[in-house]
Amino acid sequence: MTQVLLVRCSNGELKACSAKGHSGYSVRGSDIVCASVTTLLRTTLTILENTAGLDLGVKATLRGKLAFKVKKLETIPVDSRKKLVFACDFLETGFQRLEKEYPAYVSFRVQIID
């Protein structure tokens, strides 16, 4: 099972996200659930890497493990803050949908911090 944790701030901004484990839906290389998790995370990372005022700490040490934290620089443009909220909404919606469609293969939870 793939376990996903999304950490968002009380203002809705994305703070961190981590995914670990293989879903077990199919064999490695043909697993649509793992591919979906990877696509959601990597797309979000690519967008945020090109967002002004952000520094990302990314850990992808092993296959089946991907985590990142968002660090804001001292000054962050309003548009970048909006992207953080949208990115968090995007991930939350995507992972909720995956968990609903594949409950035996994806576990998703959200943690809200101040």
Side-chain angles (χ1 to χ4, degrees), residues 65-99:
K65 263 188 155 175
L66 177 60
F68 66 89
K69 290 183 180 181
V70 177
K71 300 170 193 169
K72 293 183 276 189
L73 303 178
E74 281 188 34
T75 56
I76 178 172
V78 172
D79 287 345
S80 295
R81 289 186 179 277
K82 289 178 182 178
K83 276 189 181 180
L84 283 175
V85 172
F86 180 81
C88 201
D89 290 342
F90 172 78
L91 287 173
E92 186 169 353
T93 301
F95 287 126
Q96 283 174 341
R97 183 69 181 201
L98 274 176
E99 183 181 48

Side-chain angles (χ1 to χ4, degrees), residues 24-110:
Y25 181 79
S26 186
V27 297
R28 185 178 286 182
S30 299
D31 193 320
I32 62 171
V33 176
C34 281
S36 298
V37 169
T38 300
T39 300
L40 285 168
L41 289 172
R42 287 190 181 179
T43 300
T44 302
L45 276 171
T46 301
I47 290 167
L48 294 179
E49 285 173 341
N50 297 307
T51 300
L54 302 182
D55 182 28
L56 298 176
V58 180
K59 289 184 182 177
T61 54
L62 301 169
R63 285 182 63 93
K65 263 188 155 175
L66 177 60
F68 66 89
K69 290 183 180 181
V70 177
K71 300 170 193 169
K72 293 183 276 189
L73 303 178
E74 281 188 34
T75 56
I76 178 172
V78 172
D79 287 345
S80 295
R81 289 186 179 277
K82 289 178 182 178
K83 276 189 181 180
L84 283 175
V85 172
F86 180 81
C88 201
D89 290 342
F90 172 78
L91 287 173
E92 186 169 353
T93 301
F95 287 126
Q96 283 174 341
R97 183 69 181 201
L98 274 176
E99 183 181 48
K100 183 177 180 181
E101 291 182 26
Y102 302 97
Y105 305 100
V106 177
S107 168
F108 174 65
R109 67 185 183 98
V110 177

